[in-house]
Amino acid sequence: MDTLTRIRAFIDVVDAEGFSAAARRVGRSKALLSKYVRELEDELGALLLNRTTRQFSLTEAGHTYYRTASEILKEIDNLADLVRASNSDLKGRLRISAPRTFVDADIGQSLIDFGKAHPELSLEIVSDDRFVDLVEEGFDVAIRITKLEDSTLIARKLDDFQVKICASPEFLEKNGPITHPSELSRHACIIDTNGRSYSNWRFVEHDGTGFSVPVGGPIEVNSPLAAVRAAESGIGISGVPEFIARPKIAAGTLVSILEDYLPKDRGIYAIYPHRRYLPTKVRTLVDFLHNWFRKNTGN
């Protein structure tokens, strides 16, 4: 029995969190998987799994082995994908992490369009506003709206990103023009608690100097869509992701203000782990998204 088969059995068991669940998932007997894992432990001279009738857990050595072995198997599978790249058929599962704001907005259609274009792929789109650990949590690709800083990951920019400062025409008519960000402290603002700046909104002076303005108001909500609705109703001023604000501004229900002071250091990125052999399915998704944004947003 080759070592790769034993390693795959071990990883299957860990991923399924148990021998019985792994047996059902991969279509092998529980006894056979247990045999493979035991042989792997004998080969290594180390216990990888703690086994009791009620609990299942990795030993310290098991944690270390699982992380590295998972990456090695991914590289082997990715190399096989690369060799098969001349075959246009894409198969398998693609696990994608994306912010809720992205998935719920119009641009979330990009992922749906990809799934429609490649029905042979199984997509798992996980909508989560936190920055997931791609390697530890088993994601193939993440969509991130950020200032790119993590050099351990590979990124491809899909689009520019800004937070537009918006108010309804009625609010501006009632409260007068706002010509500098410092004036926001005197006005009712709607706080989107999902935003990383929260109640200190970021701006840039004309000379490039960054600064923040503390804001507050009658509503705090962890949803940019709800914050937009509040701004449209005239309750206050909201910081709105550009891809959500765009149709509202075009329709005239919101007005973008303070354009000359908005930071331009963020973007929408497709992020994936640094791997020697990039899976064809990942490359296909990233290329599709890049072309989708160029076609649909003009950037």
Side-chain angles (χ1 to χ4, degrees), residues 40-153:
L40 180 63
E41 290 175 325
D42 291 342
E43 182 180 324
L44 296 171
L47 185 67
L48 301 177
L49 297 174
N50 292 312
R51 305 170 180 81
T52 68
T53 56
R54 292 180 176 271
Q55 286 187 321
F56 168 88
S57 63
L58 285 165
T59 65
E60 184 176 351
H63 276 289
T64 301
Y65 194 81
Y66 173 78
R67 284 196 301 270
T68 304
S70 296
E71 284 303 300
I72 291 172
L73 277 188
K74 283 180 182 177
E75 289 293 313
I76 292 171
D77 292 339
N78 294 344
L79 177 57
D81 284 344
L82 188 66
V83 172
R84 291 191 295 263
S86 57
N87 186 340
S88 61
D89 290 340
L90 292 175
K91 297 179 181 179
R93 189 174 190 83
L94 196 56
R95 197 159 187 251
I96 305 164
S97 170
R100 289 188 180 92
T101 303
F102 181 98
V103 173
D104 292 341
D106 291 345
I107 58 176
Q109 184 65 36
S110 59
L111 296 176
I112 306 304
D113 287 349
F114 177 79
K116 184 177 180 180
H118 298 284
E120 66 278 16
L121 281 173
S122 174
L123 301 188
E124 180 186 356
I125 302 170
V126 179
S127 177
D128 199 330
D129 290 321
R130 67 187 177 88
F131 275 17
V132 300
D133 186 313
L134 272 70
V135 175
E136 289 288 334
E137 299 180 51
F139 286 99
D140 297 294
V141 180
I143 307 298
R144 289 185 179 171
I145 303 170
T146 185
K147 179 180 179 181
L148 197 61
E149 295 173 342
D150 190 345
S151 61
T152 65
L153 299 171

Side-chain angles (χ1 to χ4, degrees), residues 283-295:
R283 183 184 295 107
T284 302
L285 170 64
V286 174
D287 288 344
F288 181 94
L289 293 177
H290 182 262
N291 292 330
W292 190 96
F293 274 86
R294 289 184 65 185
K295 178 180 178 182

Side-chain angles (χ1 to χ4, degrees), residues 21-290:
R24 289 191 298 270
R25 180 180 294 181
V26 302
R28 287 182 167 177
S29 71
K30 177 181 175 181
L32 184 60
L33 291 178
S34 180
K35 174 177 179 290
Y36 289 162
V37 173
R38 187 171 59 253
E39 288 175 348
L40 180 63
E41 290 175 325
D42 291 342
E43 182 180 324
L44 296 171
L47 185 67
L48 301 177
L49 297 174
N50 292 312
R51 305 170 180 81
T52 68
T53 56
R54 292 180 176 271
Q55 286 187 321
F56 168 88
S57 63
L58 285 165
T59 65
E60 184 176 351
H63 276 289
T64 301
Y65 194 81
Y66 173 78
R67 284 196 301 270
T68 304
S70 296
E71 284 303 300
I72 291 172
L73 277 188
K74 283 180 182 177
E75 289 293 313
I76 292 171
D77 292 339
N78 294 344
L79 177 57
D81 284 344
L82 188 66
V83 172
R84 291 191 295 263
S86 57
N87 186 340
S88 61
D89 290 340
L90 292 175
K91 297 179 181 179
R93 189 174 190 83
L94 196 56
R95 197 159 187 251
I96 305 164
S97 170
R100 289 188 180 92
T101 303
F102 181 98
V103 173
D104 292 341
D106 291 345
I107 58 176
Q109 184 65 36
S110 59
L111 296 176
I112 306 304
D113 287 349
F114 177 79
K116 184 177 180 180
H118 298 284
E120 66 278 16
L121 281 173
S122 174
L123 301 188
E124 180 186 356
I125 302 170
V126 179
S127 177
D128 199 330
D129 290 321
R130 67 187 177 88
F131 275 17
V132 300
D133 186 313
L134 272 70
V135 175
E136 289 288 334
E137 299 180 51
F139 286 99
D140 297 294
V141 180
I143 307 298
R144 289 185 179 171
I145 303 170
T146 185
K147 179 180 179 181
L148 197 61
E149 295 173 342
D150 190 345
S151 61
T152 65
L153 299 171
I154 306 300
R156 187 169 184 184
K157 189 174 184 180
L158 304 177
D159 202 2
D160 296 324
F161 174 79
Q162 281 186 328
V163 172
K164 297 290 188 181
I165 307 302
C166 296
S168 69
E170 294 76 17
F171 182 93
L172 295 174
E173 182 178 351
K174 178 181 178 180
N175 293 277
I178 300 171
T179 59
H180 191 272
S182 59
E183 299 171 32
L184 292 174
S185 295
R186 304 196 299 269
H187 291 280
C189 293
I190 300 150
I191 309 301
D192 176 10
T193 56
N194 273 338
R196 301 188 77 181
S197 56
Y198 190 51
S199 58
N200 286 283
W201 291 358
R202 296 174 58 250
F203 297 95
V204 177
E205 287 286 8
H206 295 142
D207 63 0
T209 304
F211 67 101
S212 62
V213 176
V215 296
I219 293 180
E220 295 185 3
V221 60
N222 65 338
S223 164
L225 297 176
V228 164
R229 289 195 293 271
E232 286 181 300
S233 72
I235 293 176
I237 303 164
S238 181
V240 183
E242 182 180 17
F243 52 78
I244 294 178
R246 194 181 298 130
K248 305 295 184 179
I249 295 169
T253 60
L254 287 180
V255 177
S256 178
I257 62 176
L258 304 172
E259 287 278 349
D260 292 340
Y261 297 94
L262 300 179
K264 299 179 180 178
D265 58 351
R266 278 161 169 70
I268 303 174
Y269 294 90
I271 309 285
Y272 48 94
H274 192 311
R275 290 185 182 137
R276 185 177 178 188
Y277 304 110
L278 181 65
T280 303
K281 60 186 178 181
V282 172
R283 183 184 295 107
T284 302
L285 170 64
V286 174
D287 288 344
F288 181 94
L289 293 177
H290 182 262

